[in-house]
Amino acid sequence: MNTFRALEAYENTNGQFEQRIIQRAIEDLPDGELLIKVAYSSLNYKDALSASGNRGVTKKFPHTPGIDAAGTIVVSRVGRFKVGDPVIITGYDLGMNTFGGFSNYIRVPANWAVALPDGLTLKESMIYGTAGFTAALSIDKLLRGGVQPEDGDILVTGATGGVGSMAVSILAKLGYRVIGATGKSEAREMLMSLGAADIINRREMDDDSGRAMLRSRWAGVIDTVGGNTLATALKTTQYGGCVTCCGNVAAADFTTTVYPFILNGITLFGIDSVNCPMAHRLAIWARLADAWKPDTLQHQYQTITLVALPNAISLMLSGQHKGRTIIKLDD
Ligand SMILES: NC(=O)c1ccc[n+]([C@@H]2O[C@H](COP(=O)([O-])OP(=O)(O)OC[C@H]3O[C@@H](n4cnc5c(N)ncnc54)[C@H](OP(=O)(O)O)[C@@H]3O)[C@@H](O)[C@H]2O)c1
């Protein structure tokens, strides 16, 4: 246990970022009340940004990314967690500017840890990971906005992505009719198997007509890509509907008028998984362990090891990655 393996992102002599497997010592880990032996991590878009040198996510390199980790406590300096407890860590600073979950061990503050709820395995918690947690936060907002299955179709953008695919399967489990917007024409079968009723080409959600409002199509939209897709979502959501915004894969900026808000009473909800307060975090994980657990959860992921991570990262950066990828750490 004195040394262990981790993925490290570093800048090579040509100024390009690459990833390699390194050996680290427990003493190298940051301070924290909990030392955790990681069983599984998962790959999220933010990890791909960190691993490729994005200074908006990670300021200092070399660095070990991984915003998610699930594992067992090896050392605890607080009373409420004991050695052997299974825990989930997602968000906060893990993998951003704190040594992250693409590693056999992490050390973190105790107030980042969620006790693994009954009804979930460590592996299942990482099939969800930040992506599933964010999808659930978004669906929770639709519910708070009063969007019911009988109100009409729910659009999920970036539908084959991590957040998107999890949103499709959880919404289907909850009885919503889900339409997936995707740039991958070959993904119909995948999305239908997760419970989507239909798919549309993502270009349909990239309106350039210049019109302030378009035909109402959606009772709710879970947008994971931002940019003009989000602007188009606002124009095409029906009276009283809700749109959630969590991501910027397409673009960070978008242009809207006030009309969707003042003529159709649309609500736009922002989603943040990183600093989500602990009480809400626990409530969302409890739902993911129980009533919101999709029947398809065991079929919507692939498992890789640290060695295969660089390839998965480049697929994600090029928009080619599908579904969820979990990383099994060494035994
Ligand atoms: N706010 C939060 O707390 C939070 C939490 C998690 C993630 N996020 C953000 O949510 C976004 C999605 O994360 P993720 O982990 O699901 O990423 P992901 O697995 O890479 O999925 C993104 C999906 O977006 C679609 N896409 C890619 N490039 C696009 C483009 N240029 N225009 C439109 N669509 C494009 C692709 O799906 P299709 O081919 O099916 O269209 C892709 O699979 C990221 O921006 C991430 O940073 C935010």
Side-chain angles (χ1 to χ4, degrees):
M1 170 178 150
N2 283 340
T3 66
F4 59 89
R5 285 178 1 131
L7 186 94
E8 181 179 81
Y10 69 102
E11 191 170 4
N12 68 21
T13 47
N14 299 324
Q16 288 154 343
F17 281 84
E18 296 179 349
Q19 303 97 35
R20 63 188 168 202
I21 310 285
I22 52 155
Q23 289 286 332
R24 296 305 291 270
I26 295 290
E27 307 82 76
D28 297 337
L29 291 173
D31 195 20
E33 292 107 353
L34 302 179
L35 177 64
I36 296 164
K37 184 173 194 311
V38 181
Y40 291 94
S41 181
S42 90
L43 180 61
N44 295 277
Y45 191 71
K46 203 187 265 179
D47 299 318
L49 294 178
S50 172
S52 55
N54 185 306
R55 307 257 179 202
V57 177
T58 299
K59 292 188 181 60
K60 285 212 299 206
F61 293 88
H63 169 69
T64 290
I67 64 170
D68 290 345
T72 306
I73 294 177
V74 179
V75 176
S76 171
R77 298 205 312 250
V78 292
R80 68 180 190 283
F81 288 112
K82 59 181 193 314
V83 171
D85 283 354
V87 286
I88 308 167
I89 319 289
T90 66
Y92 299 104
D93 195 44
L94 187 71
M96 293 183 66
N97 291 293
T98 297
F99 187 98
F102 295 164
S103 169
N104 282 327
Y105 287 88
I106 56 170
R107 192 154 47 200
V108 294
N111 60 9
W112 291 6
V114 167
L116 185 73
D118 289 343
L120 269 193
T121 63
L122 288 172
K123 183 177 179 181
E124 287 173 331
S125 75
M126 288 295 101
I127 301 174
Y128 285 127
T130 287
F133 181 67
T134 304
L137 287 174
S138 308
I139 293 165
D140 178 64
K141 290 291 192 199
L142 291 190
L143 291 174
R144 285 166 191 249
V147 179
Q148 299 293 325
E150 57 272 23
D151 293 337
D153 291 351
I154 307 295
L155 180 75
V156 176
T157 66
T160 67
V163 180
S165 62
M166 291 305 319
V168 168
S169 61
I170 299 170
L171 283 164
K173 168 80 180 179
L174 298 180
Y176 287 89
R177 187 170 188 279
V178 190
I179 310 297
T182 179
K184 304 181 183 85
S185 55
E186 78 284 4
R188 167 175 285 276
E189 199 180 324
M190 168 200 169
L191 289 169
M192 303 292 262
S193 75
L194 297 182
D198 204 353
I199 67 168
I200 62 170
N201 189 302
R202 74 157 78 123
R203 284 195 299 269
E204 283 189 47
M205 292 302 295
D206 190 12
D207 174 60
D208 59 4
S209 67
R211 293 173 57 192
M213 304 283 279
L214 297 168
R215 177 173 66 86
S216 292
R217 297 177 74 177
W218 322 113
V221 179
I222 293 191
D223 177 52
T224 73
V225 304
N228 196 43
T229 303
L230 176 56
T232 308
L234 293 170
K235 294 179 193 181
T236 51
T237 296
Q238 70 194 31
Y239 191 91
C242 298
V243 177
T244 67
C245 159
C246 77
N248 60 354
V249 179
D253 56 335
F254 70 102
T255 303
T256 184
T257 66
V258 297
Y259 294 115
F261 306 102
I262 68 173
L263 297 182
N264 269 356
I266 306 301
T267 303
L268 175 59
F269 286 111
I271 305 296
D272 170 53
S273 62
V274 175
N275 292 305
C276 173
M278 187 50 84
H280 191 44
R281 198 175 277 264
L282 294 176
I284 292 289
W285 277 112
R287 286 186 207 167
L288 288 171
D290 188 17
W292 288 22
K293 198 185 210 180
D295 304 332
T296 51
L297 192 66
Q298 297 304 334
H299 308 291
Q300 54 191 106
Y301 72 97
Q302 57 163 336
T303 308
I304 61 171
T305 60
L306 284 181
V307 178
L309 248 176
N311 185 47
I313 287 166
S314 47
L315 280 177
M316 184 164 264
L317 288 170
S318 64
Q320 295 310 305
H321 184 262
K322 281 199 214 109
R324 295 283 297 139
T325 291
I326 63 171
I327 300 95
K328 185 173 183 345
L329 280 310
D330 297 343
D331 293 324

